[in-house]
Amino acid sequence: MDCEKELEKDRILRNLYVNMIKEDSSEKISCELQKEVLSILKEHEGLWMTEKEELIKDMGLLIASAAEESGFIKGFQCAVCLFLECIRM
């Protein structure tokens, strides 16, 4: 039962994140993070084949997007725990 509650909380937080991103911009990934990923790829462009450039760029952006979303959820959960801890004091 606790697992179902956790999954429901995660779903709610993911929806909150998606709605926040929609309001912020049309991109699923923040501009800052997108620039950072592209900079890293450009820095190492000699290490990968040119015909796969677009695929590698897209994969990097998808991974970064997933990491950003996960970080938001974990940060939000930590903030709520911290807030509840302060209320109990």
Side-chain angles (χ1 to χ4, degrees):
M1 191 68 166
D2 287 334
C3 187
E4 287 178 22
K5 287 181 182 178
E6 287 298 315
L7 289 173
E8 181 62 17
K9 285 182 200 174
D10 279 357
R11 188 190 63 73
I12 291 168
L13 289 175
R14 286 186 192 284
N15 286 340
L16 175 64
Y17 176 78
V18 168
N19 289 332
M20 189 180 82
I21 291 298
K22 282 180 186 175
E23 289 175 10
D24 191 28
S25 71
S26 61
E27 298 289 329
K28 185 171 177 170
I29 184 172
S30 71
C31 291
E32 298 85 26
L33 186 56
Q34 188 171 0
K35 285 178 187 175
E36 184 67 25
V37 169
L38 294 175
S39 172
I40 291 168
L41 290 173
K42 181 145 182 79
E43 196 175 298
H44 297 92
E45 69 184 340
L47 299 176
W48 32 286
M49 300 174 68
T50 55
E51 65 257 8
K52 293 184 180 180
E53 240 176 69
E54 199 63 33
L55 175 62
I56 291 171
K57 181 186 89 167
D58 289 346
M59 288 173 57
L61 293 173
L62 286 171
I63 291 167
S65 177
E68 189 174 51
E69 181 177 336
S70 179
F72 172 85
I73 291 167
K74 287 187 185 347
F76 193 92
Q77 290 170 337
C78 288
V80 168
C81 287
L82 195 62
F83 180 74
L84 292 173
E85 184 97 10
C86 289
I87 289 176
R88 289 185 204 136
M89 296 177 103

